[in-house]
């Protein structure tokens, strides 16, 4: 169980004594100097990976979103 903050990202705060699952993916190493095109490719890849983690996290709880 959790509280959801009414913000743009709907931050979820676990209630005391809740079970918490942590999800992480493979590190994304981004070089310091990138062209605008390379930067956008990395941004899209990061967004894709975060969305996959989000889906994986809620799927194990048989939910689509929090």
């Amino acid at each position: 169980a959790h509280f959801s903050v009414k913000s743009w990202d709907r931050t979820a705060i676990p209630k005391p004594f809740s079970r918490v699952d942590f999800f992480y993916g493979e590190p994304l190493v981004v070089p310091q100097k990138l062209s605008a095109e390379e930067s956008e490719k990395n941004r899209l890849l990061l967004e894709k990976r975060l969305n996959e983690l989000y889906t994986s996290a809620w799927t194990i709880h048989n939910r689509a979103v929090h």
Side-chain angles (χ1 to χ4, degrees):
H2 64 275
F3 301 101
S4 289
V5 178
K6 294 183 190 245
S7 64
W8 66 272
D9 64 353
R10 295 186 334 230
T11 299
I13 302 168
K15 291 182 180 179
F17 307 105
S18 295
R19 186 181 105 196
V20 178
D21 296 314
F22 287 91
F23 291 82
Y24 58 92
E26 185 179 336
L28 177 61
V29 179
V30 180
Q32 287 186 347
K33 295 182 181 183
L34 298 174
S35 67
E37 182 179 321
E38 292 169 326
S39 183
E40 179 63 7
K41 284 181 184 178
N42 277 280
R43 186 195 70 76
L44 292 170
L45 178 57
L46 178 59
E47 181 179 18
K48 177 181 179 279
R49 288 184 181 185
L50 288 171
N51 286 334
E52 288 170 352
L53 283 173
Y54 181 87
T55 300
S56 296
W58 287 106
T59 299
I60 68 165
H61 296 287
N62 297 318
R63 295 182 63 184
V65 298
H66 70 270

